[in-house]
Amino acid sequence: MAPNDNSEIPNSAPEFSHEVEVDKVPSLGRMFKLTASPEERAALAKRLDLLEFDEFRAEMKVKPLGRSSIIRVEGKIIAKLAQPCVVSLKPVPAVIEEEFDLDFAPETDSDVVEREFVLSEENDYEPLEAGIIDVAEVATQHLSLCLDLYPRADSADIYEVQKDAEASGRKFEVNGDKISPFAALSKLKDQKK
């Protein structure tokens, strides 16, 4: 690749974006109501590994904290989606309604450095870069933290998946050729008798 050729560099722009210049936020704050379009939800579904993404809304207030350079983002996200089951890969529907708050501060701000020693770990600041906060990206990142790490359908049974695979002529082993640790312990117990 030529030194100035950017054709292979992927687009790093967020799929769902709404940038706020913090210098233009009034002292009492500003409200934002965002709704992701079907195209934005489709792109986010790909990023977040979702099978379905029917709704994504966020209501947020951006406000400066006193006279400091710290900016607080308080909000609520509402999402209707489906993740793949970790066993069967079938859709696992979910409705997420979560509130959050997040503080942003310039990394070089001296009043933030002084307060870091006083504030608890719960009051960590996100870096404020170039005086801009992408509130839609904040909502998206919060949604990603709310997703189930191991979504499992109510009807998911690994042994049923194995039977279905074998019935259709595919090889599927729950533990491969490995003996489970409990089976090995059971053998030891039986040998001592």
Side-chain angles (χ1 to χ4, degrees):
M1 180 164 75
N4 292 327
D5 183 12
N6 292 331
S7 61
E8 293 185 32
I9 297 174
N11 183 0
S12 62
E15 302 85 349
F16 179 45
S17 181
H18 186 87
E19 293 184 343
V20 176
E21 293 179 45
V22 297
D23 291 344
K24 295 183 179 178
V25 175
S27 61
L28 295 176
R30 178 172 289 145
M31 292 293 299
F32 296 91
K33 290 185 179 186
L34 309 174
T35 302
S37 70
E39 295 80 16
E40 291 165 330
R41 288 194 318 270
L44 287 171
K46 190 173 188 178
R47 172 178 162 189
L48 301 173
D49 193 27
L50 303 175
L51 298 177
E52 300 169 16
F53 200 8
D54 298 326
E55 180 181 357
F56 185 40
R57 294 183 287 132
E59 296 178 5
M60 292 176 274
K61 183 174 186 177
V62 178
K63 65 179 179 181
L65 291 182
R67 294 181 183 200
S68 73
S69 57
I70 300 168
I71 304 295
R72 174 160 291 162
V73 178
E74 298 172 329
K76 179 179 183 176
I77 58 169
I78 299 168
K80 292 180 183 174
L81 52 90
Q83 295 178 263
C85 173
V86 294
V87 175
S88 66
L89 301 179
K90 293 179 181 176
V92 179
V95 175
I96 296 172
E97 291 189 33
E98 288 285 329
E99 294 182 1
F100 65 92
D101 60 73
L102 201 55
D103 293 335
F104 288 81
E107 291 182 288
T108 59
D109 196 334
S110 61
D111 63 340
V112 172
V113 174
E114 290 174 18
R115 291 179 187 171
E116 281 185 20
F117 297 105
V118 178
L119 297 173
S120 69
E121 290 181 17
E122 294 176 11
N123 292 325
D124 286 336
Y125 298 106
E126 292 295 317
L128 178 59
E129 298 174 8
I132 294 175
I133 298 173
D134 188 338
V135 291
E137 181 62 17
V138 167
T140 301
Q141 290 181 14
H142 189 72
L143 173 64
S144 73
L145 295 173
C146 295
L147 294 174
D148 189 344
L149 293 176
Y150 303 101
R152 189 172 176 140
D154 292 336
S155 62
D157 181 356
I158 192 73
Y159 296 104
E160 288 297 321
V161 173
Q162 180 182 21
K163 286 179 190 175
D164 291 345
E166 289 172 357
S168 65
R170 294 176 285 140
K171 185 176 181 181
F172 181 91
E173 297 176 6
V174 175
N175 290 324
D177 293 332
K178 300 175 186 174
I179 298 174
S180 81
F182 297 108
L185 288 172
S186 179
K187 284 184 181 180
L188 287 174
K189 182 180 173 186
D190 291 341
Q191 289 176 357
K192 288 187 178 184
K193 289 183 181 179

